[in-house]
Amino acid sequence: VTSIGGRILALRTGKGLTQRDLAEPNYTAAYVSSVENGHRVPSSDALAHFAARLSVDVTQLTTGRHPGDALSVEIDLLAGGQSAAWLAQRAADPSEPPTRRAAAEVLLGRRCLESGAPDDAVGHFERARRLVPATLAHLRTPAVAGLVLCARAQGDPGYAAYLLTGFRDELHRAGLPDPTSVLAVHALLALCQHDLGEDATAAASTALALAGPFDAGGVVAAHVATARTLAAESHLPEARAALAAAGSAALEAWLADEIAGAYRIRARGRLSSGDLAGALTDLTAARQHSTGPAAMDALVDLAEVHRALGDPATARELLSAPSSGSDAPAGSAEVRRARAHRVHALLSQDAGDLDAAERHLRAAIAVHRRTGPRRELAQLSLDLADLLTAMRRADDALTVLADGLTAVDTHTP
Amino acid sequence: MWEGDAMDDESLGARIRRLRLERGLTQRELAEPRYTRAFLAAIEAGVRVPTAETLAHIADTLGVDADDLRHGRPADAARTLADVLAEARRELSRGKVAEAAAKASQVAEQARRYALPELECRAVHLTGDVELHRGDVSAAIQRYTSAKTLIGPHDGTLRAAVVAREAYCLQITGATADAITLLETELRTVRAATDPDPDALIRLTSALVYLFLELDWRERARRLEREALPLLPRVRNREWHAQFTVTVAQLRRDNDLTLLDGALEFYTSQDLTREIGICQWAYGYVLRRVGRVREAAERFEQARAILRDVGAVQDLAGATLELAEARRLDGDLDGAERLATEAADICRRTQHQECMAEADRVLGRIAGARSPGDPVADQLLSRAADRYAESGLVAELVTTSRLLGEHRRAGGNVEGAAESFRRGLLAAARLPEAGTL
C-alpha cells in the first residue's frame, strides 16, 4: 500500500469500520470514498480526524511508517549486541539525531576501552561529547565518564579529576542535577581522589546516596522490553520515558565496578573510624554491585573487617576463596594476592605468630616491588618495620625502611 | 621615527594635494578623464569625501596604494612597524625592558592610526609580555584581553598566541583548571576546522604541555606531544617551532639533541638573547639526565652567563643549581659548593621556596660527601625536607628523606635514620598514582 487512500482503506477494513463510521460526524461517506480511491487529497483536519478514528499517528497515514519505528534505533542501541559496523554507520550518519549518534559513539568507545585501547576510545568519547548540545549537558555524562575511564587507564588520575570537577560544575550551571549523572560523576571522582591521595569519602557518599539496585543490567533489559511493547502500540511518549529510564540504568550497569569502588572507599573510611557494621554493609553492597575485579577486591576488604570483628575463621575462609571471573587489567590479580598477604599478616600477628606475619609481609612487599603501586609498598614497609621493631630487631627494621624507601623513590610507575 | 611621522594630522584632501604637487601634476591632470577638475578641487579642500572608486583612481594616478593614501601611511609602514616590533622583542629578551615597552606602545599607537589591526594586536601583545616580565600579571592580563579584541575572525594563529598567554597568566595566578579549560577548548575549536592551522595547534599544544609538565601530568604531556609531532614540518612560525622543541626536550630527556639544535639555531639567528640562555639550559638539563655530566656543565655555564646578562634572576638561580649538581656529580665538590651557595643567596632574595629547598639539598649532599654524619649536612637536608613538605612537593620530600636517612645511617645515627626513612615512606603512602584502590 503506497497511497494515503490505500492506507486509510486498509486500516478501516482492518478495524471493521464502514466508510460512514469513519466519516461521521464531520465528513460524509462519499468524501471518505473519494479519499480512499485517490480522487481527493484529504485536508490536514480530515487527516487528523481519520487518524484519531483509526487510533494511529497522522505520520503513519501520510508516510506509511509505523511511528514506533522511529524508536527502533534507540531501542537497539540500548539493547546492545549490535555490530561495530552498524554502530559506526549510526555514529557517522549526519541525518541521525545528534544524541543518537553520540550514543553510538559511546558504545564504540566502550568497546575500544574494553579491548584495552583507551587511546582509540578517547576519539569516540570526545565526538560523543561534542555531539550533545550544551543545553542537554546531562546527556553528556556517558561521554564524560568514558573520557574519565580512559584518563585513568592512561595513568592520568589528575586529569580525570579535572574533567569530572569541570563537568560537575557544568551540570550545576546548566541547572541539570540529573541523579544518575550526579551518581556517575561522584563515584568516578571518589576513585580519582583516592588515586590522588585525597580524602574521597565525601564524593563516595554523595554517589552512594543515589545508587540504584544491584542488578542494573536486569533493570535495563526490563525497561527496554517495556519500551518495545509501548512503541509497537504507538504509545510514543510512554515508550520514550521507558527508554530514558533504560538509559539511566545502562549508565549504572556500565559503571557497576566503579560504583562498587565507591562502596569500598566508604567501607575503608568506616573501618578506620571503627564503624565495622557500616563497613560490612558497604562491602556486601560492593560485592552485589560488581561481578568484576571490584567484587574480588571487596572480598579481601571483607576479610579485614571480619578480622577486626574478632572473627579470624571467617576472615581466613574469605581469603582462601578462589578468585573467579574476568580480571583486567593484568597484574591486578597479583596485587590482590599481595593485599591478601597483608590481611594474613594481621591475622598471624593477632594469633601471636610473628614469624608467619613477617613472611606474609615480605611476600606482599616482593609483589609490590615488581608491580607497584608505590603507595602500598611504602605502607607495607612501614608495617614490617613496626613488626620487626616489636620483635627487637632494630637493624632489620632499618634495612626494611631503607630498602623500602629506595624502591619507592627509584621506582618509575 | 620614520617618514610620515610629521604628517600625522594631515587631512586626506591635503595629502592628495601634497602628493599631486610633489609629482608636478595639475588638478585637471589628476582628475581626468573620469572626473572634473572642480570635483578634485572639492576633494582637496575637504568639501567632498571621495568614494572608494574615486580614491582608487587618484591613488593609481599618484602611484600609491589606495589604503595607504586613505590612512596617510607611508608605503612601507607595515614593514617598518614590524621591524620596530621585532627590535622591541629583542630588547625585551636582552633585558632592556623600558626601551622595549616604549617601542611596543609606539607601534601599537601607529598601527591603530594606520588601521593595521594585526600589527596593533601583536604590539599590544608585546606590551603584555613587558608587564609579565616586570611581574605585573594583572596588567598583563588587561593587555592580552585588549589584544584579543583586535583579532580578525579568521586569524587563528594570532588568536592562539594571545590565548596561550592568557592561559599562562591564569596558571601563575593559581587558576590552573581555568587555564586548562581555556587551552583545551581553543585546541578543540582549531582541530574541528576542515583544515586545522598547524601554527595555532603547535602554539596551544606547547602551552598545554608546559602546563601539564608543571602539574607533573607527564603521561598527558607525552600524549599531546605525540599528537602534535606530525604537524611540526608544516609549522611556519619558527619561534613557535623552537618553543615547542625546547618544551618537549625537557619532557623526553633522551639523547636526541637535534630538536634543540634547531631551536638554538633559530634563536641565534633572531638574536633572542634570553631564549638562547633558556635553550642552553635545556641542553644541560637533558644532558645531565642522560648521564653526560661534563657536557651538561658546559651548557649550564653558557646559560648562566647569558641569564645573568639579561637579568633573568630566577632562571639564573635554576641554571646555577643545575650546574652545581653537575659539578657535584663530577666530583668537584668545591666548585659545586661555591655555585650552590651563590644560588642559595639568589633564592633567599626572591624567596622561591622550591629553589631554596633544592639549594639546601645540594649543599647538604656536598657536606655529607665530605664527612659522613656531618651535623651541618644533617641540618641542611632536614631544612630542605621541611621546605619540600611545606610546598606540597611529595616526590621531592621522598627523595630528600631518603638522602637524609642514608646520611644519618652512614654516620651511625640509627634512630635518626629510621625516623627520616619513616617520614619518606609516610609521604610516599600519599603519592598520587593511578589504580590504587
Side-chain angles (χ1 to χ4, degrees):
Chain A
V1 182
T2 53
S3 67
I4 295 180
R7 282 191 284 273
I8 292 176
L9 173 65
L11 283 162
R12 177 176 64 75
T13 51
K15 288 194 179 294
L17 299 175
T18 65
Q19 286 182 333
R20 181 177 304 278
D21 292 336
L22 184 60
E24 284 183 339
N26 300 347
Y27 302 93
T28 62
Y31 177 70
V32 169
S33 170
S34 59
V35 167
E36 285 183 351
N37 60 32
H39 290 317
R40 299 190 64 164
V41 177
S43 68
S44 55
D45 283 350
L47 269 177
H49 170 79
F50 296 147
R53 270 293 154 88
L54 296 167
S55 312
V56 294
D57 207 82
V58 172
T59 48
Q60 195 180 341
L61 293 184
T62 53
T63 66
R65 269 207 308 274
H66 190 275
D69 293 353
L71 290 181
S72 68
V73 175
E74 263 96 344
I75 292 174
D76 288 346
L77 282 169
L78 278 160
Q82 307 298 333
S83 73
W86 185 86
L87 288 172
Q89 207 183 337
R90 294 282 85 73
D93 185 350
S95 68
E96 289 279 355
T99 48
R100 219 193 263 172
R101 293 176 61 193
E105 289 283 9
V106 166
L107 289 173
L108 288 167
R110 283 178 60 176
R111 288 185 188 192
C112 293
L113 201 52
E114 277 151 26
S115 61
D119 290 2
D120 301 334
V122 169
H124 291 296
F125 292 130
E126 287 273 11
R127 277 194 291 281
R129 178 162 72 171
R130 268 205 302 279
L131 280 164
V132 180
T135 49
L136 298 174
H138 64 306
L139 299 183
R140 289 179 171 174
T141 309
V144 174
L147 288 171
V148 167
L149 293 176
C150 289
R152 287 192 79 222
Q154 291 165 333
D156 291 321
Y159 186 75
Y162 155 77
L163 288 174
L164 286 165
T165 48
F167 184 59
R168 181 192 60 194
D169 297 346
E170 186 183 338
L171 287 174
H172 179 75
R173 271 198 308 275
L176 295 166
D178 162 56
T180 314
S181 298
V182 174
L183 159 64
V185 166
H186 285 87
L188 290 165
L189 190 58
L191 296 186
C192 295
Q193 288 173 337
H194 185 272
D195 285 345
L196 293 169
E198 297 166 6
D199 183 8
T201 42
S205 293
T206 304
L208 298 177
L210 296 164
F214 301 138
D215 181 18
V219 175
V220 177
H223 280 306
V224 168
T226 306
R228 246 192 243 288
T229 307
L230 291 167
E233 289 165 8
S234 303
H235 296 303
L236 296 195
E238 292 80 2
R240 287 212 172 86
L243 283 175
S248 290
L251 184 58
E252 275 198 63
W254 176 25
L255 299 179
D257 228 54
E258 283 70 24
I259 294 169
Y263 274 114
R264 289 184 57 222
I265 286 172
R266 192 166 69 179
R268 285 190 180 189
R270 287 178 165 175
L271 173 62
S272 64
S273 68
D275 176 9
L276 300 182
L280 210 55
T281 312
D282 277 347
L283 290 173
T284 311
R287 291 189 59 206
Q288 282 164 326
H289 257 280
S290 162
T291 52
M296 291 178 281
D297 288 330
L299 211 60
V300 179
D301 296 349
L302 210 50
E304 195 178 345
V305 175
H306 279 287
R307 175 247 164 191
L309 281 166
D311 181 2
T314 308
R316 281 181 208 280
E317 196 181 317
L318 287 166
L319 291 178
S320 63
S323 57
S324 60
S326 67
D327 207 359
S332 72
E334 227 184 332
V335 170
R336 192 174 310 116
R337 254 195 304 285
R339 287 175 184 159
H341 273 302
R342 197 186 132 259
V343 183
H344 271 304
L346 290 171
L347 289 164
S348 304
Q349 218 172 332
D350 293 343
D353 185 352
L354 301 190
D355 291 337
E358 181 186 348
R359 268 200 313 281
H360 280 298
L361 286 175
R362 287 196 189 276
I365 286 172
V367 172
H368 287 303
R369 283 181 87 109
R370 270 200 315 278
T371 63
R374 292 182 293 169
R375 272 153 68 169
E376 304 262 348
L377 180 53
Q379 188 56 55
L380 286 164
S381 302
L382 287 167
D383 292 346
L384 180 55
D386 287 345
L387 179 70
L388 293 168
T389 307
M391 294 164 82
R392 300 187 184 286
R393 287 161 57 190
D395 285 354
D396 290 344
L398 188 62
T399 305
V400 166
L401 290 170
D403 291 354
L405 189 53
T406 303
V408 164
D409 194 25
T410 52
H411 184 277
T412 39
Chain B
M1 195 170 5
W2 56 85
E3 187 230 357
D5 240 13
M7 331 281 186
D8 279 345
D9 297 326
E10 188 180 48
S11 72
L12 177 56
R15 191 150 51 241
I16 293 172
R17 183 184 170 76
R18 175 172 58 81
L19 292 169
R20 176 175 63 74
L21 293 174
E22 277 173 18
R23 284 156 181 71
L25 298 171
T26 63
Q27 285 184 332
R28 185 179 304 281
E29 283 166 330
L30 182 53
E32 285 184 345
R34 291 179 63 179
Y35 305 98
T36 64
R37 190 203 61 80
F39 179 62
L40 187 79
I43 288 174
E44 285 189 359
V47 177
R48 300 197 62 162
V49 179
T51 63
E53 200 185 341
T54 311
L55 198 67
H57 167 80
I58 294 171
D60 193 38
T61 312
L62 290 172
V64 296
D65 178 81
D67 265 356
D68 285 351
L69 180 59
R70 179 188 300 280
H71 300 294
R73 64 193 180 200
D76 53 353
R79 219 196 54 223
T80 312
L81 286 175
D83 287 348
V84 175
L85 203 57
E87 176 58 22
R89 176 85 178 69
R90 279 192 289 275
E91 281 177 339
L92 183 62
S93 181
R94 232 178 281 131
K96 295 170 148 185
V97 185
E99 291 90 332
K103 284 204 178 70
S105 312
Q106 225 166 352
V107 172
E109 199 181 315
Q110 283 288 358
R112 185 170 61 248
R113 192 174 304 164
Y114 290 162
L116 296 166
E118 194 212 314
L119 253 173
E120 188 187 349
C121 176
R122 284 169 48 205
V124 174
H125 181 281
L126 188 59
T127 63
D129 291 355
V130 167
E131 297 298 349
L132 260 187
H133 192 99
R134 289 173 171 155
D136 188 343
V137 182
S138 55
I141 291 175
Q142 270 176 19
R143 301 300 170 93
Y144 296 135
T145 309
S146 73
K148 218 171 174 178
T149 61
L150 296 164
I151 301 168
H154 304 297
D155 199 339
T157 314
L158 203 51
R159 202 182 145 75
V162 179
V163 166
R165 281 286 199 275
E166 278 186 322
Y168 180 71
C169 289
L170 284 170
Q171 181 191 350
I172 50 186
T173 55
T176 312
D178 293 340
I180 302 173
T181 307
L182 180 64
L183 289 170
E184 287 200 328
T185 308
E186 200 64 27
L187 200 56
R188 265 201 292 277
T189 311
V190 176
R191 278 183 183 153
T194 35
D195 186 20
D197 175 350
D199 286 81
L201 283 175
I202 219 74
R203 181 68 193 88
L204 295 167
T205 301
S206 289
L208 260 180
V209 168
Y210 176 78
L211 222 161
F212 289 159
L213 268 175
E214 287 285 300
L215 287 165
D216 207 27
W217 295 358
R218 306 188 77 85
E219 275 307 307
R220 200 88 224 138
R222 283 196 194 96
R223 225 178 326 274
L224 269 176
E225 186 220 332
R226 276 202 297 277
E227 284 167 15
L229 225 44
L231 298 167
L232 221 45
R234 289 178 51 216
V235 171
R236 291 180 307 268
N237 186 324
R238 292 183 58 207
E239 182 169 357
W240 291 358
H241 191 295
Q243 184 187 37
F244 178 79
T245 55
V246 171
T247 310
V248 157
Q250 294 169 61
L251 173 67
R252 288 198 196 164
R253 304 175 180 181
D254 60 22
N255 251 317
D256 180 11
L257 298 172
T258 50
L259 280 179
L260 285 174
D261 292 341
L264 182 61
E265 190 189 324
F266 169 74
Y267 289 137
T268 308
S269 75
Q270 298 299 302
D271 199 16
L272 290 172
T273 317
R274 179 172 172 273
E275 281 70 13
I276 295 171
I278 299 288
C279 198
Q280 297 288 9
W281 188 90
Y283 271 107
Y285 180 92
V286 174
L287 285 165
R288 203 195 99 191
R289 275 146 191 89
V290 296
R292 291 159 66 178
V293 180
R294 294 244 166 106
E295 290 165 87
E298 278 168 35
R299 297 290 186 166
F300 287 133
E301 287 279 19
Q302 296 187 41
R304 251 164 57 80
I306 294 168
L307 294 168
R308 189 191 295 114
D309 283 352
V310 304
V313 177
Q314 198 52 60
D315 293 330
L316 173 63
T320 305
L321 271 176
E322 288 276 4
L323 180 58
E325 182 64 8
R327 292 268 187 260
R328 189 190 69 78
L329 289 168
D330 202 28
D332 175 9
L333 293 186
D334 293 343
E337 185 175 29
R338 209 169 43 245
L339 288 159
T341 310
E342 183 189 328
D345 287 342
I346 302 175
C347 300
R348 248 195 311 283
R349 279 204 301 280
T350 57
Q351 279 297 307
H352 192 293
Q353 289 298 315
E354 184 181 349
C355 194
M356 286 163 85
E358 201 176 330
D360 278 344
R361 186 163 74 188
V362 177
L363 286 169
R365 293 185 84 169
I366 294 165
R370 286 203 182 114
S371 83
D374 176 45
V376 175
D378 196 305
Q379 246 170 34
L380 288 164
L381 289 171
S382 300
R383 197 166 66 185
D386 292 345
R387 286 223 165 90
Y388 281 130
E390 273 168 39
S391 317
L393 294 163
V394 180
E396 300 300 340
L397 173 59
V398 169
T399 303
T400 312
S401 300
R402 174 174 65 79
L403 295 172
L404 179 58
E406 285 166 359
H407 173 73
R408 287 175 173 172
R409 196 182 189 189
N413 176 2
V414 175
E415 267 178 44
E419 187 195 330
S420 188
F421 288 140
R422 274 180 203 280
R423 184 185 194 182
L425 286 167
L426 278 170
R430 296 191 316 269
L431 275 174
E433 207 167 359
T436 49
L437 185 61

